[in-house]
Amino acid sequence: MAPVPTPLRDIAKIVRSKNAGPFEITLDIVFKTKEDFEAVKKSGVITKELVSELYNVPTQAIITFGFFDLVNAVKITLPRPRPQGGVGETDMHAAQQHVPLQEIRVPWPAP
Amino acid sequence: MAVSSNDEIRILTPAGMLGYGFPIDHLKMGLALKPHAITIDAGSTDSGPQKLGLGEMTCSRESYVKDIEVLLEAQHEVRVPLLISSAGGDGTNLHVDVFRDIIAEIAARRGWRFKLAKIYSDVDKAHVSRELKAGRIEPLGPVPPLDQREIDAATVIVAQIGAEPFNKALDESEGIDVIVSGRSYDPSPTAAMAIRAGFDPALAWHMGKIMECGALCAEPVGRTVMGWLRHDHFEIEPINPAERCTTASVAAHTLYEKTHPFRLAGPGGTLDLSNCKYEQVTDRRVRVSGSRFEPSTHYTVKLEGAKTSGYRSIFIAGARDPIFIGQIDEILTRVIAGTRAYFKEVPEEAYRIIPHLYGKNGVMGDLEPVRTPAHELCIIVEVSAATQGLATAICNKTRTSLMHAPYPGRIATAGNLASPFTPLEIPLGQACEFNVYHLMKVHSPTALFPIQVEEIA
């Protein structure tokens, strides 16, 4: 059967965001199995350029971006749009900034 | 005081955060495993800059009294060191003294005696200025370089305590029962106990790194966790029988709230976890080996500070009319321009008016991918200004203008907003901002951190 574009929220075990200190936000995508992790990695969909576009951050400002085999995870760390908890804050813990990642669509075998 | 055997040191951590409570049954089950020390961290920058900026604590004093009394009772019974780090959340000298007073009150009430060591971590601003001039301070990550103005503006500056000051406190005085420390690198108390007993610092830091979060490394995540550190590995197991550590849950733990999953910088060096091995020992216990520690060329400590930045007021209102919601951005732009024109005597840069539109993009702001607003909005307008009175006045003007703002196609001419609360304008007090988050080179890992020992009876 032909693969269909499937959002990461239907594939990954964890898609989350959180502060990593008051000046960074870190995003984790953890997969259920090594096979899922490898398949998403191989698809080539998740790139620095995509993160740059989704989070409006220049690629050279991305602090961490990588596929980490030992933990079957993609980890992305970005500068925070503003220091945590100051005037204009919308998400003190940066706990709800993961949604654009959930919506990334990867070619996936139809269920 | 119990000392570790040559082969193993056992550490019990009742919870990942002091003040949030933990199951007393699990603490007792942990004590039955004969730990050589009990460690618990109270620190976090995660709930905001107002602690450092205004001297607030993460939890209420009553929450700390509750948790500390349970821990002192355990210490009184088993007589192994109890290490409490980052008093009050920010670890200022003020909050080390609050914890000291809480311990003294409980000891007096219960008739207990403790030998207490306090480790302070406030750094004199004049010292920070000298070190800045000497070129020994650098930003930590995407932070602006430090300058004298920000040092002056910071309410207080603390430095993070590594393992060495804990060991100095334990070495200098026999029979320390309790240590209360100022701002500490979270794994320091656990790492210090293991390093002092002669174990591999890499394993000590890695075990500390996992245990500082309690049983967050378990599935499902929990509170109380026990670590067994030996010469070439450590093992980790949650106390709650309903939770288990798996190789995946323990390996993935270092993703959480960290910049990088395998490279974790701390006082004196960087922990490298890229070649770690995780083995399932029992159904619920994981063995970890292969952690590496790279000492840094210069020992650095992290400085943290926050300043106050004026006062804030907000109003909260609902909107349900689709004709209004469809034009909300244009209406707000006009209303804010009108407010600014009305307060023309106040310099424009001296105050800010920031709308938060829940149901549209309140959580993600400009990054929100969904462009269609919901059928109803929660509108919060945040105003910051030099005084509470001015912030509230500007907030009031913005709210009343928005309430009665005309817009094309308006047929609900009595008012645009549904207001749930009085006061309609809510004063929020002082706003704060992190302004020091830098690394400072030090000659000695202990010199910045005065230690005081006292008998509490």
Side-chain angles (χ1 to χ4, degrees):
Chain A
M1 231 164 130
V4 293
T6 306
L8 280 181
R9 68 181 133 84
D10 293 339
I11 299 171
K13 179 163 96 172
I14 293 169
V15 180
R16 67 185 177 192
S17 64
K18 199 75 191 281
N19 295 330
F23 292 89
E24 296 177 10
I25 164 172
T26 194
L27 301 140
D28 301 329
I29 308 170
V30 185
F31 293 93
K32 292 170 193 146
T33 65
K34 170 84 36 203
E35 292 68 38
D36 287 358
F37 170 76
E38 291 295 343
V40 171
K41 186 177 174 182
K42 205 174 148 206
S43 76
V45 172
I46 305 177
T47 62
K48 266 192 167 184
E49 288 66 31
L50 179 67
V51 171
S52 161
E53 189 185 315
L54 291 175
Y55 286 92
N56 193 26
V57 171
T59 50
Q60 64 272 21
I62 296 174
I63 297 161
T64 301
F65 174 89
F67 288 79
F68 294 97
D69 298 0
L70 194 59
V71 286
N72 295 328
V74 179
K75 188 160 187 73
I76 301 158
T77 303
L78 308 172
R80 240 175 164 281
R82 66 187 75 76
Q84 175 209 354
V87 171
E89 181 62 88
T90 66
D91 188 353
M92 176 72 80
H93 304 93
Q96 286 290 302
Q97 304 302 312
H98 60 288
V99 177
L101 295 182
Q102 280 187 347
E103 299 305 316
I104 294 174
R105 279 160 204 271
V106 178
W108 208 250
Chain B
M1 177 172 41
V3 288
S4 62
S5 71
N6 290 331
D7 307 327
E8 179 177 281
I9 183 166
R10 296 180 294 275
I11 311 277
L12 175 66
T13 298
M17 177 64 80
L18 182 79
Y20 289 3
F22 46 84
I24 294 171
D25 287 355
H26 295 161
L27 174 67
K28 289 192 172 147
M29 287 163 70
L31 294 176
L33 298 169
K34 300 197 180 308
H36 300 104
I38 303 166
T39 61
I40 187 160
D41 182 52
S44 176
T45 55
D46 219 29
S47 46
Q50 70 283 1
K51 290 176 277 176
L52 281 165
L54 298 174
E56 294 175 2
M57 297 197 289
T58 299
C59 302
S60 68
R61 194 177 193 279
E62 290 70 18
S63 308
Y64 290 128
V65 169
K66 178 80 195 161
D67 281 12
I68 290 173
E69 183 154 2
V70 173
L71 293 169
L72 288 179
E73 183 160 10
Q75 201 286 330
H76 184 70
E77 184 189 320
V78 299
R79 289 285 159 192
V80 299
L82 166 64
L83 280 61
I84 299 174
S85 51
S86 295
D90 57 2
T92 53
N93 290 2
L94 179 72
H95 293 156
V96 171
D97 289 337
V98 169
F99 275 30
R100 180 260 166 219
D101 290 348
I102 289 173
I103 290 168
E105 279 168 29
I106 295 168
R109 179 157 44 80
R110 304 286 295 261
W112 293 333
R113 300 174 66 88
F114 298 102
K115 193 168 185 180
L116 172 73
K118 296 167 290 179
I119 310 176
Y120 291 102
S121 65
D122 285 13
V123 186
D124 181 29
K125 286 199 212 173
H127 180 73
V128 177
S129 299
R130 281 193 300 276
E131 297 302 291
L132 178 67
K133 284 199 191 93
R136 295 164 61 78
I137 297 181
E138 285 175 4
L140 176 54
V143 183
L146 194 58
D147 61 27
Q148 187 57 44
R149 208 181 35 172
E150 295 298 339
I151 296 173
D152 293 339
T155 307
V156 61
I157 298 175
V158 293
Q160 278 198 354
I161 300 168
E164 296 85 349
F166 286 93
N167 287 338
K168 188 177 173 202
L170 292 165
D171 289 341
E172 273 184 358
S173 190
E174 273 294 302
I176 296 285
D177 296 304
V178 181
I179 297 180
V180 170
S181 74
R183 185 57 171 145
S184 306
Y185 183 48
D186 298 354
S188 290
T190 295
M193 290 303 301
I195 292 168
R196 184 164 183 266
F199 292 93
D200 177 13
L203 293 170
W205 283 114
H206 192 183
M207 190 169 92
K209 195 82 218 172
I210 293 173
M211 293 185 68
E212 55 111 335
C213 297
L216 196 71
C217 59
E219 283 179 349
V221 300
R223 292 278 163 97
T224 311
V225 70
M226 184 88 181
W228 292 257
L229 201 148
R230 306 188 184 115
H231 285 286
D232 59 357
H233 69 269
F234 66 87
E235 291 179 1
I236 195 106
E237 182 180 310
I239 297 296
N240 184 348
E243 299 156 10
R244 49 195 294 260
C245 279
T246 67
T247 54
S249 73
V250 174
H253 172 262
T254 50
L255 289 168
Y256 185 70
E257 294 182 340
K258 305 292 178 294
T259 302
H260 193 284
F262 301 149
R263 292 194 60 82
L264 306 165
T270 297
L271 188 58
D272 179 354
L273 308 181
S274 54
N275 285 301
C276 278
K277 195 168 144 199
Y278 299 87
E279 299 165 85
Q280 199 73 45
V281 180
T282 71
D283 202 31
R284 301 178 51 250
R285 189 190 286 206
V286 167
R287 176 177 294 184
V288 183
S289 58
S291 324
R292 287 191 305 223
F293 186 76
E294 300 165 6
S296 44
T297 325
H298 293 283
Y299 195 103
T300 57
V301 294
K302 186 199 286 188
L303 302 177
E304 290 176 353
K307 62 180 176 182
T308 56
S309 49
Y311 288 77
R312 279 191 293 194
S313 296
I314 58 170
F315 73 79
I316 303 174
R320 182 63 182 81
D321 187 317
I323 309 170
F324 176 81
I325 290 173
Q327 303 176 57
I328 184 65
D329 288 339
E330 296 80 359
I331 296 167
L332 269 169
T333 303
R334 286 199 297 275
V335 163
I336 291 171
T339 302
R340 286 201 173 273
Y342 184 72
F343 284 94
K344 61 180 185 301
E345 69 285 0
V346 185
E348 264 202 32
E349 65 284 358
Y351 66 98
R352 296 173 68 187
I353 304 173
I354 303 168
H356 299 253
L357 300 178
Y358 291 93
K360 186 168 183 293
N361 63 357
V363 173
M364 297 209 60
D366 293 341
L367 299 179
E368 176 55 59
V370 178
R371 294 288 161 190
T372 319
H375 72 277
E376 66 181 8
L377 299 182
C378 175
I379 300 171
I380 299 178
V381 172
E382 173 186 7
V383 175
S384 72
T387 65
Q388 190 72 73
L390 183 60
T392 301
I394 295 170
C395 196
N396 171 271
K397 174 67 182 162
T398 311
R399 182 186 62 77
T400 51
S401 301
L402 189 61
M403 176 73 173
H404 300 294
Y407 55 87
R410 188 186 196 220
I411 55 173
T413 53
N416 302 328
L417 302 176
S419 298
F421 305 118
T422 55
L424 294 161
E425 283 76 47
I426 306 169
L428 291 187
Q430 282 184 290
C432 295
E433 195 178 318
F434 284 110
N435 69 333
V436 182
Y437 200 72
H438 294 75
L439 289 178
M440 182 168 79
K441 288 178 189 163
V442 293
H443 294 297
S444 149
T446 55
L448 278 178
F449 307 109
I451 296 168
Q452 287 178 15
V453 176
E454 64 176 305
E455 297 280 350
I456 303 268

